[in-house]
Amino acid sequence: MKTQNKNKLILSLLFLILIGILLFFFFKKNNKQEFLKVVFLDVGQGDSIFIQAPNKKQILIDGGKDKKVLSKLASVMPFGDRSIDIIIGTHPDADHIGGLYHVIKNYKVGVLFEPGSTSESQIYKSLQKTIVDKDIPHMQALRGTDIILDKEKNIILKILYPDENPIGWETNDSSIIAMLSYGQTKVLLTGDSPIEKELYLIKQALSLKADILKLGHHGSRTSSSEVFLKTVSPDIAIISAGRDNSYGHPHTEVLSILNRLSLKYLETSKEGNIVCEIEISKFVCK
């Protein structure tokens, strides 16, 4: 009889513990988020950016080169969340879309945006086949495309570039450039866009001033010209690159410009995931 009572007590305790765990994750998932969360994921030598608005709408921009993005996503997404509203592949290079293949295989995706440039790589072809197999709506992102994340709080991702169909272009030249805005706070995302495209945007007299800038092409000397950095004039720059990568990113020339302009910067290779919590008129990145 004593053994029976003891077993019942143990089962009751285990049941209460289970209920407690479930309640913890339920309230954690449903906890109201007032800030816009932008996470520059540490996916090694590549780019991947996860964005979640206060209304829980999500965007994933690029996915790195392999399935490493899956574990990084799991660390920043709500527990049990297996869907992403919008995915954007900035251009067809493997270190940007390689991981998107695995994301699409493992998550329900609402819509996918790409610039319209193509590639003959097997990674690109596999991604395109998976998009078709999963019947994911597929749209071209050109200037004039506004992606509304949170209508109530007026959080918008504006596509600034390309401004024409980039079929046949070199892949980096077609890289999507977008401005994310929440009130007075702005984030400029540049993919692998080269200096020539930076100068082109400046000549277009677009509003490029931003509080946070994701440096182009992982801090390569082929991007982040001094005139562009002065024009954007960010409070902080983010460098997404792999530790001890074979390309030497970020290049010393770019770091010298950042230091000369007294621009603070953070690197995923040193910080891991870089999380920016953004409000209407302020932000913090760590």
Side-chain angles (χ1 to χ4, degrees), residues 22-34 52 54-56 77-79 81:
L22 291 173
L23 286 172
F24 170 78
F25 284 116
F26 174 81
F27 285 116
K28 182 179 180 181
K29 183 176 180 180
N30 291 278
N31 185 37
K32 194 170 184 182
Q33 174 189 310
E34 291 298 333
Q52 181 168 287
N55 64 1
K56 306 299 183 185
M77 290 180 70
F79 177 78
D81 191 349

Side-chain angles (χ1 to χ4, degrees), residues 50 56 58 77 80-86 106-110:
F50 174 74
K56 306 299 183 185
Q58 299 164 337
M77 290 180 70
D81 191 349
R82 303 302 299 174
S83 66
I84 299 174
D85 299 288
I86 300 164
N106 287 275
Y107 287 82
K108 181 181 178 182
V109 176

